[in-house]
Amino acid sequence: MDNLKKAAAEASSFFNRAKQFTEEKLGNAEKTVYQADLENLIRRSESTKLLTEKIISNTTSLLHPNPNERFEELVMTKLDRRVMKPTNFEILGNSFIEAGNEIGSTYQYGSVLIKVGEAERKLGHLEKEFVQKSSDCLLQPLKSFLEGQMKTILKEKRILDSKRLNLDASKARLKKFHESNSHKNEAEEEVRQAQSEFDRQYELTKLLMDELTITYNHHLQCLADFVEAQSNFYSSCSKIMQDLTKQIGISSIRNTTVIPPKIDDSNPFTYPINSLPSSFTEKKKAKVLFDYEATEPSEISVSANQIISIQIVPNDNDWVLAESGRDSGKVPKAYIQIVD
């Protein structure tokens, strides 16, 4: 029975607040106005929430530029199954090292590839440390602030708004009773109780919002930690690249004379079409008449009606040197027709 009465009272209170809110919107009811200092605190709280959300979003974009990676990180964090994937620096470094090992360290190019790859992997390790430190010192404190203190502030602000509506609704009902009305005393008691509850909630809400000043000082320390982590990251990256520059001897590499490979006019199909000697004719456009499937490494496959670039090989009546996209090689002369 008590629960039923309580539910009925809550329903009645909700109805009265809804009615008061509607009347206020229509301009038919008086409204208790918050003092200027609280209004300023409310605006500051709402602004702080929005700005903190923006800082978190943009910081996350900096640490995880790939949207898919950000989504995966969010999911893994919710599932408490965070996995440290290799960074782009590490992926690039691994490819350099793989290429260097394949070419061989006996060649300067292969040796330098390995050294550059090792440096890129070091950069990747530093990036992981920076991302983790940034998350710990800035992102997590800001997220905790939104989930804890800010959520409490907004909750108490909503309760204050409800208490204010209750108070104004009680005042509106009191005005309807005449002096001789037997229910007037009950209405006056209701107003006194609503006023008391409103005043307590007002002070509580104001106190919580005032504490944002202390929170700002904490966030200032977090920001300083982030700047220090970012400064150390770029400083360490710079040192790694400076050491790499000395290690591989960039100056000597720049001063190395590049000797192009010797081209044999008698075997034109061993080098790219753009490197053909002057004894060959200029490029021409040709239309492929029939499909041709390459049978040798020096040949390329072409399709009927395809337009390709060709060069005529002197003293060769059977083949032309053709270029199709990035591929180049021999094509039977009988399979093409010159169009310009």
Side-chain angles (χ1 to χ4, degrees):
M1 194 65 169
D2 291 339
N3 291 337
L4 185 60
K5 289 182 179 180
K6 183 178 179 182
E10 290 177 353
S12 176
S13 178
F14 177 80
F15 174 78
N16 290 333
R17 287 197 300 270
K19 180 181 178 182
Q20 176 67 23
F21 180 81
T22 303
E23 292 292 332
E24 289 176 359
K25 289 295 181 181
L26 296 174
N28 298 328
E30 295 182 2
K31 175 181 177 181
T32 298
V33 179
Y34 298 145
Q35 295 179 9
D37 58 345
L38 181 63
E39 288 287 359
N40 290 334
L41 289 174
I42 292 173
R43 283 193 292 270
R44 186 180 72 164
S45 299
E46 293 172 345
S47 176
T48 298
K49 177 180 180 294
L50 294 176
L51 293 174
T52 302
E53 290 172 341
K54 188 174 182 180
I55 290 173
I56 290 175
S57 175
N58 291 334
T59 303
T60 303
S61 297
L62 171 69
L63 301 179
H64 303 283
N66 189 322
N68 294 329
E69 289 185 0
R70 290 202 298 272
F71 178 74
E72 183 178 353
E73 177 77 9
L74 176 63
V75 172
M76 289 301 179
T77 301
K78 293 292 185 182
L79 297 176
D80 197 22
R81 294 173 53 189
R82 296 185 63 185
V83 179
M84 294 300 290
K85 297 178 63 177
T87 65
N88 290 332
F89 283 122
E90 291 174 317
I91 294 173
L92 178 60
N94 291 337
S95 66
F96 280 157
I97 292 174
E98 181 183 0
N101 289 329
E102 183 68 24
I103 292 171
S105 58
T106 54
Y107 295 97
Q108 184 182 14
Y109 178 47
S111 175
V112 170
L113 274 172
I114 293 173
K115 293 176 181 177
V116 173
E118 291 172 346
E120 293 294 334
R121 290 207 295 199
K122 290 179 182 178
L123 294 177
H125 180 69
L126 288 174
E127 183 183 22
K128 281 183 177 178
E129 289 185 347
F130 168 62
V131 170
Q132 187 61 51
K133 287 181 180 178
S134 299
S135 178
D136 292 342
C137 72
L138 184 64
L139 284 180
Q140 291 305 321
L142 294 183
K143 289 179 180 179
S144 297
F145 161 70
L146 290 179
E147 289 298 317
Q149 183 180 0
M150 181 52 68
K151 187 173 286 187
T152 300
I153 289 175
L154 297 178
K155 174 187 172 183
E156 297 301 328
K157 167 61 168 54
R158 288 193 295 271
I159 294 176
L160 176 63
D161 290 338
S162 295
K163 298 294 184 185
R164 199 270 306 164
L165 287 171
N166 285 339
L167 174 61
D168 289 340
S170 299
K171 290 178 178 179
R173 285 196 301 276
L174 178 60
K175 289 182 178 180
K176 295 179 181 179
F177 294 114
H178 299 290
E179 289 293 334
S180 59
N181 195 302
S182 59
H183 295 288
K184 184 177 181 182
N185 291 336
E186 295 179 7
E188 289 176 341
E189 177 60 28
E190 183 180 342
V191 170
R192 282 193 293 271
Q193 183 177 350
Q195 183 70 58
S196 177
E197 292 178 358
F198 171 77
D199 291 341
R200 284 197 300 270
Q201 188 62 35
Y202 188 98
E203 293 302 321
L204 174 60
T205 305
K206 183 179 177 183
L207 178 63
L208 290 172
M209 291 183 175
D210 270 330
E211 290 180 354
L212 280 180
T213 302
I214 300 175
T215 302
Y216 287 165
N217 292 331
H218 173 60
H219 288 177
L220 176 62
Q221 296 299 321
C222 295
L223 184 60
D225 292 340
F226 171 72
V227 171
E228 185 178 22
Q230 195 170 33
S231 175
N232 291 337
F233 169 64
Y234 287 120
S235 177
S236 299
C237 288
S238 177
K239 186 177 185 306
I240 288 175
M241 298 313 294
Q242 288 174 2
D243 292 344
L244 177 64
T245 300
K246 296 176 183 178
Q247 189 179 9
I248 66 177
I250 281 189
S251 299
S252 61
I253 293 176
R254 296 294 187 200
N255 295 328
T256 300
T257 303
V258 179
I259 303 175
K262 185 177 180 181
I263 297 176
D264 183 3
D265 285 11
S266 65
N267 187 14
F269 303 113
T270 60
Y271 45 82
I273 191 170
N274 292 328
S275 304
L276 285 170
S278 58
S279 59
F280 281 51
T281 61
E282 295 295 325
K283 288 184 183 180
K284 295 180 180 293
K285 294 291 183 183
K287 179 180 180 181
V288 179
L289 301 176
F290 316 101
D291 293 342
Y292 179 73
E293 190 72 27
T295 58
E296 299 289 341
S298 60
E299 302 172 3
I300 62 169
S301 300
V302 291
S303 304
N305 299 320
Q306 184 180 353
I307 302 299
I308 59 176
S309 298
I310 67 161
Q311 287 179 294
I312 305 298
V313 181
N315 302 321
D316 191 334
N317 296 323
D318 298 322
W319 300 89
V320 295
L321 187 60
E323 184 180 60
S324 176
R326 295 184 177 180
D327 299 326
S328 61
K330 295 189 297 182
V331 172
K333 187 180 291 186
Y335 281 65
I336 60 101
Q337 180 182 10
I338 297 176
V339 294
D340 66 352

